[in-house]
Amino acid sequence: MIPLQPPRRLIDVQIDGEDVRVPEGSTILDACHAAGKDIPTLCYGDTLTPKNACRVCVVEVEGARTLAPACSRKAEAGMKVGTDTERARQSRKVVLELLGSSVDLSTTPRAAEWTEEYGADPARFGDDAATVEQPAKVDNDLYVRDYSKCILCYKCVDACGDQWQNTFAIAVAGRGFDATISTEFEAPLTDSACVYCGNCVEVCPTGALSFKTEFDMRAEGTWDESRQSETTTVCSYCGVGCNLTLHVQDNKIVKVSSPHDNPVTKGNLCVKGRFGYGYV
């Protein structure tokens, strides 16, 4: 049973001139959502501690010298926030241009929409712009690592590390533009500490980590989310009671996720729950 917590004090925050009341300890992003504002973000994960990596969610706080990341900056009583100011829009535009010129965002949800909304033009850097393009790493039958789509949001590292799995199979190696997600000594995934829970795949926002089934179907041109249905059920392997969301296309399970609001799993699974659906 989850113990009851004392109610949090409510504070008033002004979002684009509109007064919003949120619980104390909420972030600016929480306040923006309460106000119905659609703030773009890539590195934010609702089951992870914010990392402030992508900087797409920056907003302008009255009296502040710099723009603030909405995903991690705590809302304060009386704070006045501008989510769509010229300064915030220009910053988001530049970030999207830099990401779009160096990273393959083709499988990043809403990336194309935001690029158009903010008038970003990744092509303005020219054909000689540095990219992280590289072949996908296919070294197991469960999931694929395509680091040409990686924006270094750190979500996979946090999920594999002390925030959830505590396996510490991956970390960031290198510095600057050469930084990349890597196993220890760049060993093959099969020789690393990876336990194939797939929790890194669950939190990846760009498709840099994906089910082998999804990767193969995309390569074949058969992956079609509009034809997929989702059914939430309970894992049948043990008595923990983890919830599974089965993604089904053409009467076949193509991948498995887990509801982030479930009190048992909070989006996390083990290798059996995530990948052991072949018996169905």
Side-chain angles (χ1 to χ4, degrees), residues 100-122:
S101 68
S102 59
V103 179
D104 177 8
L105 299 179
S106 61
T107 56
T108 302
R110 303 191 65 186
E113 173 190 340
W114 291 330
T115 298
E116 181 179 357
E117 178 181 351
Y118 292 100
D121 181 20

mmCIF file with all atom_site columns, all heavy atoms in Angstrom, residues 100-122:
data_model
loop_
_atom_site.group_PDB
_atom_site.id
_atom_site.type_symbol
_atom_site.label_atom_id
_atom_site.label_alt_id
_atom_site.label_comp_id
_atom_site.label_asym_id
_atom_site.label_entity_id
_atom_site.label_seq_id
_atom_site.pdbx_PDB_ins_code
_atom_site.Cartn_x
_atom_site.Cartn_y
_atom_site.Cartn_z
_atom_site.occupancy
_atom_site.B_iso_or_equiv
_atom_site.pdbx_formal_charge
_atom_site.auth_seq_id
_atom_site.auth_comp_id
_atom_site.auth_asym_id
_atom_site.auth_atom_id
_atom_site.pdbx_PDB_model_num
ATOM 1   N N   . GLY A 1 100 ? 18.788 19.295 -35.614 1.00 0.00 ? 100 GLY A N   1
ATOM 2   C CA  . GLY A 1 100 ? 18.370 18.790 -36.915 1.00 0.00 ? 100 GLY A CA  1
ATOM 3   C C   . GLY A 1 100 ? 19.496 18.681 -37.918 1.00 0.00 ? 100 GLY A C   1
ATOM 4   O O   . GLY A 1 100 ? 19.441 17.856 -38.830 1.00 0.00 ? 100 GLY A O   1
ATOM 5   N N   . SER A 1 101 ? 20.521 19.518 -37.761 1.00 0.00 ? 101 SER A N   1
ATOM 6   C CA  . SER A 1 101 ? 21.646 19.480 -38.701 1.00 0.00 ? 101 SER A CA  1
ATOM 7   C C   . SER A 1 101 ? 22.637 18.374 -38.373 1.00 0.00 ? 101 SER A C   1
ATOM 8   O O   . SER A 1 101 ? 23.403 17.945 -39.234 1.00 0.00 ? 101 SER A O   1
ATOM 9   C CB  . SER A 1 101 ? 22.385 20.827 -38.688 1.00 0.00 ? 101 SER A CB  1
ATOM 10  O OG  . SER A 1 101 ? 23.056 21.034 -37.454 1.00 0.00 ? 101 SER A OG  1
ATOM 11  N N   . SER A 1 102 ? 22.633 17.900 -37.126 1.00 0.00 ? 102 SER A N   1
ATOM 12  C CA  . SER A 1 102 ? 23.640 16.929 -36.700 1.00 0.00 ? 102 SER A CA  1
ATOM 13  C C   . SER A 1 102 ? 23.081 15.550 -36.382 1.00 0.00 ? 102 SER A C   1
ATOM 14  O O   . SER A 1 102 ? 23.819 14.566 -36.355 1.00 0.00 ? 102 SER A O   1
ATOM 15  C CB  . SER A 1 102 ? 24.377 17.449 -35.458 1.00 0.00 ? 102 SER A CB  1
ATOM 16  O OG  . SER A 1 102 ? 23.469 17.676 -34.389 1.00 0.00 ? 102 SER A OG  1
ATOM 17  N N   . VAL A 1 103 ? 21.776 15.464 -36.150 1.00 0.00 ? 103 VAL A N   1
ATOM 18  C CA  . VAL A 1 103 ? 21.151 14.228 -35.706 1.00 0.00 ? 103 VAL A CA  1
ATOM 19  C C   . VAL A 1 103 ? 19.959 13.904 -36.608 1.00 0.00 ? 103 VAL A C   1
ATOM 20  O O   . VAL A 1 103 ? 19.257 14.797 -37.069 1.00 0.00 ? 103 VAL A O   1
ATOM 21  C CB  . VAL A 1 103 ? 20.674 14.347 -34.238 1.00 0.00 ? 103 VAL A CB  1
ATOM 22  C CG1 . VAL A 1 103 ? 19.989 13.065 -33.783 1.00 0.00 ? 103 VAL A CG1 1
ATOM 23  C CG2 . VAL A 1 103 ? 21.829 14.673 -33.316 1.00 0.00 ? 103 VAL A CG2 1
ATOM 24  N N   . ASP A 1 104 ? 19.730 12.632 -36.840 1.00 0.00 ? 104 ASP A N   1
ATOM 25  C CA  . ASP A 1 104 ? 18.568 12.182 -37.597 1.00 0.00 ? 104 ASP A CA  1
ATOM 26  C C   . ASP A 1 104 ? 17.337 12.207 -36.687 1.00 0.00 ? 104 ASP A C   1
ATOM 27  O O   . ASP A 1 104 ? 17.202 11.365 -35.803 1.00 0.00 ? 104 ASP A O   1
ATOM 28  C CB  . ASP A 1 104 ? 18.808 10.764 -38.124 1.00 0.00 ? 104 ASP A CB  1
ATOM 29  C CG  . ASP A 1 104 ? 17.615 10.193 -38.866 1.00 0.00 ? 104 ASP A CG  1
ATOM 30  O OD1 . ASP A 1 104 ? 16.636 10.938 -39.107 1.00 0.00 ? 104 ASP A OD1 1
ATOM 31  O OD2 . ASP A 1 104 ? 17.648 8.993  -39.208 1.00 0.00 ? 104 ASP A OD2 1
ATOM 32  N N   . LEU A 1 105 ? 16.451 13.168 -36.901 1.00 0.00 ? 105 LEU A N   1
ATOM 33  C CA  . LEU A 1 105 ? 15.260 13.317 -36.070 1.00 0.00 ? 105 LEU A CA  1
ATOM 34  C C   . LEU A 1 105 ? 14.016 12.738 -36.738 1.00 0.00 ? 105 LEU A C   1
ATOM 35  O O   . LEU A 1 105 ? 12.893 13.043 -36.338 1.00 0.00 ? 105 LEU A O   1
ATOM 36  C CB  . LEU A 1 105 ? 15.017 14.798 -35.754 1.00 0.00 ? 105 LEU A CB  1
ATOM 37  C CG  . LEU A 1 105 ? 16.114 15.538 -34.980 1.00 0.00 ? 105 LEU A CG  1
ATOM 38  C CD1 . LEU A 1 105 ? 15.712 17.002 -34.766 1.00 0.00 ? 105 LEU A CD1 1
ATOM 39  C CD2 . LEU A 1 105 ? 16.390 14.866 -33.639 1.00 0.00 ? 105 LEU A CD2 1
ATOM 40  N N   . SER A 1 106 ? 14.210 11.888 -37.721 1.00 0.00 ? 106 SER A N   1
ATOM 41  C CA  . SER A 1 106 ? 13.083 11.386 -38.507 1.00 0.00 ? 106 SER A CA  1
ATOM 42  C C   . SER A 1 106 ? 12.103 10.555 -37.692 1.00 0.00 ? 106 SER A C   1
ATOM 43  O O   . SER A 1 106 ? 10.919 10.464 -38.048 1.00 0.00 ? 106 SER A O   1
ATOM 44  C CB  . SER A 1 106 ? 13.588 10.572 -39.702 1.00 0.00 ? 106 SER A CB  1
ATOM 45  O OG  . SER A 1 106 ? 14.340 9.446  -39.268 1.00 0.00 ? 106 SER A OG  1
ATOM 46  N N   . THR A 1 107 ? 12.563 9.921  -36.618 1.00 0.00 ? 107 THR A N   1
ATOM 47  C CA  . THR A 1 107 ? 11.669 9.115  -35.794 1.00 0.00 ? 107 THR A CA  1
ATOM 48  C C   . THR A 1 107 ? 11.412 9.756  -34.431 1.00 0.00 ? 107 THR A C   1
ATOM 49  O O   . THR A 1 107 ? 10.908 9.099  -33.514 1.00 0.00 ? 107 THR A O   1
ATOM 50  C CB  . THR A 1 107 ? 12.248 7.694  -35.586 1.00 0.00 ? 107 THR A CB  1
ATOM 51  O OG1 . THR A 1 107 ? 13.558 7.779  -35.022 1.00 0.00 ? 107 THR A OG1 1
ATOM 52  C CG2 . THR A 1 107 ? 12.312 6.943  -36.904 1.00 0.00 ? 107 THR A CG2 1
ATOM 53  N N   . THR A 1 108 ? 11.751 11.034 -34.294 1.00 0.00 ? 108 THR A N   1
ATOM 54  C CA  . THR A 1 108 ? 11.497 11.762 -33.057 1.00 0.00 ? 108 THR A CA  1
ATOM 55  C C   . THR A 1 108 ? 10.092 12.339 -33.104 1.00 0.00 ? 108 THR A C   1
ATOM 56  O O   . THR A 1 108 ? 9.806  13.179 -33.956 1.00 0.00 ? 108 THR A O   1
ATOM 57  C CB  . THR A 1 108 ? 12.499 12.904 -32.858 1.00 0.00 ? 108 THR A CB  1
ATOM 58  O OG1 . THR A 1 108 ? 13.826 12.375 -32.854 1.00 0.00 ? 108 THR A OG1 1
ATOM 59  C CG2 . THR A 1 108 ? 12.243 13.632 -31.548 1.00 0.00 ? 108 THR A CG2 1
ATOM 60  N N   . PRO A 1 109 ? 9.202  11.911 -32.218 1.00 0.00 ? 109 PRO A N   1
ATOM 61  C CA  . PRO A 1 109 ? 7.835  12.429 -32.244 1.00 0.00 ? 109 PRO A CA  1
ATOM 62  C C   . PRO A 1 109 ? 7.794  13.950 -32.156 1.00 0.00 ? 109 PRO A C   1
ATOM 63  O O   . PRO A 1 109 ? 8.465  14.553 -31.322 1.00 0.00 ? 109 PRO A O   1
ATOM 64  C CB  . PRO A 1 109 ? 7.193  11.781 -31.010 1.00 0.00 ? 109 PRO A CB  1
ATOM 65  C CG  . PRO A 1 109 ? 7.983  10.542 -30.770 1.00 0.00 ? 109 PRO A CG  1
ATOM 66  C CD  . PRO A 1 109 ? 9.391  10.894 -31.162 1.00 0.00 ? 109 PRO A CD  1
ATOM 67  N N   . ARG A 1 110 ? 7.042  14.566 -33.060 1.00 0.00 ? 110 ARG A N   1
ATOM 68  C CA  . ARG A 1 110 ? 6.752  15.999 -33.097 1.00 0.00 ? 110 ARG A CA  1
ATOM 69  C C   . ARG A 1 110 ? 7.942  16.867 -33.493 1.00 0.00 ? 110 ARG A C   1
ATOM 70  O O   . ARG A 1 110 ? 7.822  18.091 -33.517 1.00 0.00 ? 110 ARG A O   1
ATOM 71  C CB  . ARG A 1 110 ? 6.184  16.482 -31.749 1.00 0.00 ? 110 ARG A CB  1
ATOM 72  C CG  . ARG A 1 110 ? 4.925  15.751 -31.304 1.00 0.00 ? 110 ARG A CG  1
ATOM 73  C CD  . ARG A 1 110 ? 4.275  16.442 -30.129 1.00 0.00 ? 110 ARG A CD  1
ATOM 74  N NE  . ARG A 1 110 ? 3.792  17.771 -30.493 1.00 0.00 ? 110 ARG A NE  1
ATOM 75  C CZ  . ARG A 1 110 ? 3.276  18.635 -29.617 1.00 0.00 ? 110 ARG A CZ  1
ATOM 76  N NH1 . ARG A 1 110 ? 3.188  18.311 -28.335 1.00 0.00 ? 110 ARG A NH1 1
ATOM 77  N NH2 . ARG A 1 110 ? 2.868  19.824 -30.011 1.00 0.00 ? 110 ARG A NH2 1
ATOM 78  N N   . ALA A 1 111 ? 9.090  16.275 -33.799 1.00 0.00 ? 111 ALA A N   1
ATOM 79  C CA  . ALA A 1 111 ? 10.258 17.086 -34.166 1.00 0.00 ? 111 ALA A CA  1
ATOM 80  C C   . ALA A 1 111 ? 9.973  17.908 -35.420 1.00 0.00 ? 111 ALA A C   1
ATOM 81  O O   . ALA A 1 111 ? 10.305 19.106 -35.485 1.00 0.00 ? 111 ALA A O   1
ATOM 82  C CB  . ALA A 1 111 ? 11.477 16.198 -34.380 1.00 0.00 ? 111 ALA A CB  1
ATOM 83  N N   . ALA A 1 112 ? 9.369  17.292 -36.427 1.00 0.00 ? 112 ALA A N   1
ATOM 84  C CA  . ALA A 1 112 ? 9.059  18.008 -37.661 1.00 0.00 ? 112 ALA A CA  1
ATOM 85  C C   . ALA A 1 112 ? 8.051  19.122 -37.398 1.00 0.00 ? 112 ALA A C   1
ATOM 86  O O   . ALA A 1 112 ? 8.155  20.228 -37.960 1.00 0.00 ? 112 ALA A O   1
ATOM 87  C CB  . ALA A 1 112 ? 8.517  17.040 -38.703 1.00 0.00 ? 112 ALA A CB  1
ATOM 88  N N   . GLU A 1 113 ? 7.086  18.847 -36.533 1.00 0.00 ? 113 GLU A N   1
ATOM 89  C CA  . GLU A 1 113 ? 6.074  19.851 -36.179 1.00 0.00 ? 113 GLU A CA  1
ATOM 90  C C   . GLU A 1 113 ? 6.712  21.057 -35.503 1.00 0.00 ? 113 GLU A C   1
ATOM 91  O O   . GLU A 1 113 ? 6.416  22.214 -35.843 1.00 0.00 ? 113 GLU A O   1
ATOM 92  C CB  . GLU A 1 113 ? 5.042  19.213 -35.249 1.00 0.00 ? 113 GLU A CB  1
ATOM 93  C CG  . GLU A 1 113 ? 4.023  20.175 -34.674 1.00 0.00 ? 113 GLU A CG  1
ATOM 94  C CD  . GLU A 1 113 ? 3.181  19.539 -33.576 1.00 0.00 ? 113 GLU A CD  1
ATOM 95  O OE1 . GLU A 1 113 ? 3.107  18.285 -33.509 1.00 0.00 ? 113 GLU A OE1 1
ATOM 96  O OE2 . GLU A 1 113 ? 2.604  20.304 -32.767 1.00 0.00 ? 113 GLU A OE2 1
ATOM 97  N N   . TRP A 1 114 ? 7.603  20.808 -34.557 1.00 0.00 ? 114 TRP A N   1
ATOM 98  C CA  . TRP A 1 114 ? 8.261  21.915 -33.855 1.00 0.00 ? 114 TRP A CA  1
ATOM 99  C C   . TRP A 1 114 ? 9.208  22.678 -34.773 1.00 0.00 ? 114 TRP A C   1
ATOM 100 O O   . TRP A 1 114 ? 9.323  23.903 -34.679 1.00 0.00 ? 114 TRP A O   1
ATOM 101 C CB  . TRP A 1 114 ? 9.015  21.387 -32.643 1.00 0.00 ? 114 TRP A CB  1
ATOM 102 C CG  . TRP A 1 114 ? 8.131  20.876 -31.555 1.00 0.00 ? 114 TRP A CG  1
ATOM 103 C CD1 . TRP A 1 114 ? 6.869  21.308 -31.249 1.00 0.00 ? 114 TRP A CD1 1
ATOM 104 C CD2 . TRP A 1 114 ? 8.418  19.832 -30.619 1.00 0.00 ? 114 TRP A CD2 1
ATOM 105 N NE1 . TRP A 1 114 ? 6.358  20.602 -30.190 1.00 0.00 ? 114 TRP A NE1 1
ATOM 106 C CE2 . TRP A 1 114 ? 7.284  19.693 -29.776 1.00 0.00 ? 114 TRP A CE2 1
ATOM 107 C CE3 . TRP A 1 114 ? 9.521  19.009 -30.409 1.00 0.00 ? 114 TRP A CE3 1
ATOM 108 C CZ2 . TRP A 1 114 ? 7.246  18.762 -28.745 1.00 0.00 ? 114 TRP A CZ2 1
ATOM 109 C CZ3 . TRP A 1 114 ? 9.467  18.085 -29.388 1.00 0.00 ? 114 TRP A CZ3 1
ATOM 110 C CH2 . TRP A 1 114 ? 8.346  17.969 -28.558 1.00 0.00 ? 114 TRP A CH2 1
ATOM 111 N N   . THR A 1 115 ? 9.891  21.969 -35.644 1.00 0.00 ? 115 THR A N   1
ATOM 112 C CA  . THR A 1 115 ? 10.795 22.625 -36.591 1.00 0.00 ? 115 THR A CA  1
ATOM 113 C C   . THR A 1 115 ? 10.027 23.623 -37.447 1.00 0.00 ? 115 THR A C   1
ATOM 114 O O   . THR A 1 115 ? 10.491 24.747 -37.691 1.00 0.00 ? 115 THR A O   1
ATOM 115 C CB  . THR A 1 115 ? 11.484 21.577 -37.488 1.00 0.00 ? 115 THR A CB  1
ATOM 116 O OG1 . THR A 1 115 ? 12.275 20.703 -36.663 1.00 0.00 ? 115 THR A OG1 1
ATOM 117 C CG2 . THR A 1 115 ? 12.389 22.246 -38.509 1.00 0.00 ? 115 THR A CG2 1
ATOM 118 N N   . GLU A 1 116 ? 8.849  23.232 -37.882 1.00 0.00 ? 116 GLU A N   1
ATOM 119 C CA  . GLU A 1 116 ? 8.014  24.132 -38.682 1.00 0.00 ? 116 GLU A CA  1
ATOM 120 C C   . GLU A 1 116 ? 7.456  25.262 -37.840 1.00 0.00 ? 116 GLU A C   1
ATOM 121 O O   . GLU A 1 116 ? 7.438  26.422 -38.264 1.00 0.00 ? 116 GLU A O   1
ATOM 122 C CB  . GLU A 1 116 ? 6.878  23.343 -39.324 1.00 0.00 ? 116 GLU A CB  1
ATOM 123 C CG  . GLU A 1 116 ? 5.966  24.189 -40.199 1.00 0.00 ? 116 GLU A CG  1
ATOM 124 C CD  . GLU A 1 116 ? 4.867  23.376 -40.850 1.00 0.00 ? 116 GLU A CD  1
ATOM 125 O OE1 . GLU A 1 116 ? 4.847  22.137 -40.672 1.00 0.00 ? 116 GLU A OE1 1
ATOM 126 O OE2 . GLU A 1 116 ? 4.029  23.980 -41.546 1.00 0.00 ? 116 GLU A OE2 1
ATOM 127 N N   . GLU A 1 117 ? 7.005  24.940 -36.625 1.00 0.00 ? 117 GLU A N   1
ATOM 128 C CA  . GLU A 1 117 ? 6.392  25.939 -35.757 1.00 0.00 ? 117 GLU A CA  1
ATOM 129 C C   . GLU A 1 117 ? 7.357  27.079 -35.432 1.00 0.00 ? 117 GLU A C   1
ATOM 130 O O   . GLU A 1 117 ? 6.957  28.253 -35.387 1.00 0.00 ? 117 GLU A O   1
ATOM 131 C CB  . GLU A 1 117 ? 5.909  25.283 -34.462 1.00 0.00 ? 117 GLU A CB  1
ATOM 132 C CG  . GLU A 1 117 ? 5.301  26.262 -33.460 1.00 0.00 ? 117 GLU A CG  1
ATOM 133 C CD  . GLU A 1 117 ? 4.860  25.589 -32.172 1.00 0.00 ? 117 GLU A CD  1
ATOM 134 O OE1 . GLU A 1 117 ? 4.858  24.326 -32.126 1.00 0.00 ? 117 GLU A OE1 1
ATOM 135 O OE2 . GLU A 1 117 ? 4.527  26.306 -31.214 1.00 0.00 ? 117 GLU A OE2 1
ATOM 136 N N   . TYR A 1 118 ? 8.629  26.747 -35.217 1.00 0.00 ? 118 TYR A N   1
ATOM 137 C CA  . TYR A 1 118 ? 9.599  27.772 -34.823 1.00 0.00 ? 118 TYR A CA  1
ATOM 138 C C   . TYR A 1 118 ? 10.430 28.278 -35.995 1.00 0.00 ? 118 TYR A C   1
ATOM 139 O O   . TYR A 1 118 ? 11.369 29.055 -35.799 1.00 0.00 ? 118 TYR A O   1
ATOM 140 C CB  . TYR A 1 118 ? 10.493 27.234 -33.703 1.00 0.00 ? 118 TYR A CB  1
ATOM 141 C CG  . TYR A 1 118 ? 9.731  27.018 -32.417 1.00 0.00 ? 118 TYR A CG  1
ATOM 142 C CD1 . TYR A 1 118 ? 9.303  25.739 -32.045 1.00 0.00 ? 118 TYR A CD1 1
ATOM 143 C CD2 . TYR A 1 118 ? 9.391  28.088 -31.598 1.00 0.00 ? 118 TYR A CD2 1
ATOM 144 C CE1 . TYR A 1 118 ? 8.569  25.541 -30.897 1.00 0.00 ? 118 TYR A CE1 1
ATOM 145 C CE2 . TYR A 1 118 ? 8.658  27.898 -30.432 1.00 0.00 ? 118 TYR A CE2 1
ATOM 146 C CZ  . TYR A 1 118 ? 8.256  26.625 -30.094 1.00 0.00 ? 118 TYR A CZ  1
ATOM 147 O OH  . TYR A 1 118 ? 7.517  26.433 -28.945 1.00 0.00 ? 118 TYR A OH  1
ATOM 148 N N   . GLY A 1 119 ? 10.096 27.850 -37.182 1.00 0.00 ? 119 GLY A N   1
ATOM 149 C CA  . GLY A 1 119 ? 10.801 28.339 -38.362 1.00 0.00 ? 119 GLY A CA  1
ATOM 150 C C   . GLY A 1 119 ? 12.251 27.922 -38.407 1.00 0.00 ? 119 GLY A C   1
ATOM 151 O O   . GLY A 1 119 ? 13.097 28.632 -38.965 1.00 0.00 ? 119 GLY A O   1
ATOM 152 N N   . ALA A 1 120 ? 12.559 26.776 -37.833 1.00 0.00 ? 120 ALA A N   1
ATOM 153 C CA  . ALA A 1 120 ? 13.946 26.295 -37.810 1.00 0.00 ? 120 ALA A CA  1
ATOM 154 C C   . ALA A 1 120 ? 14.344 25.767 -39.183 1.00 0.00 ? 120 ALA A C   1
ATOM 155 O O   . ALA A 1 120 ? 13.556 25.125 -39.872 1.00 0.00 ? 120 ALA A O   1
ATOM 156 C CB  . ALA A 1 120 ? 14.108 25.200 -36.756 1.00 0.00 ? 120 ALA A CB  1
ATOM 157 N N   . ASP A 1 121 ? 15.593 26.033 -39.558 1.00 0.00 ? 121 ASP A N   1
ATOM 158 C CA  . ASP A 1 121 ? 16.107 25.602 -40.864 1.00 0.00 ? 121 ASP A CA  1
ATOM 159 C C   . ASP A 1 121 ? 17.450 24.912 -40.668 1.00 0.00 ? 121 ASP A C   1
ATOM 160 O O   . ASP A 1 121 ? 18.506 25.522 -40.830 1.00 0.00 ? 121 ASP A O   1
ATOM 161 C CB  . ASP A 1 121 ? 16.242 26.795 -41.799 1.00 0.00 ? 121 ASP A CB  1
ATOM 162 C CG  . ASP A 1 121 ? 16.756 26.392 -43.174 1.00 0.00 ? 121 ASP A CG  1
ATOM 163 O OD1 . ASP A 1 121 ? 16.650 25.199 -43.518 1.00 0.00 ? 121 ASP A OD1 1
ATOM 164 O OD2 . ASP A 1 121 ? 17.265 27.268 -43.903 1.00 0.00 ? 121 ASP A OD2 1
ATOM 165 N N   . PRO A 1 122 ? 17.445 23.613 -40.328 1.00 0.00 ? 122 PRO A N   1
ATOM 166 C CA  . PRO A 1 122 ? 18.703 22.896 -40.117 1.00 0.00 ? 122 PRO A CA  1
ATOM 167 C C   . PRO A 1 122 ? 19.612 22.917 -41.337 1.00 0.00 ? 122 PRO A C   1
ATOM 168 O O   . PRO A 1 122 ? 20.837 22.820 -41.203 1.00 0.00 ? 122 PRO A O   1
ATOM 169 C CB  . PRO A 1 122 ? 18.248 21.472 -39.787 1.00 0.00 ? 122 PRO A CB  1
ATOM 170 C CG  . PRO A 1 122 ? 16.855 21.616 -39.279 1.00 0.00 ? 122 PRO A CG  1
ATOM 171 C CD  . PRO A 1 122 ? 16.271 22.757 -40.061 1.00 0.00 ? 122 PRO A CD  1
#
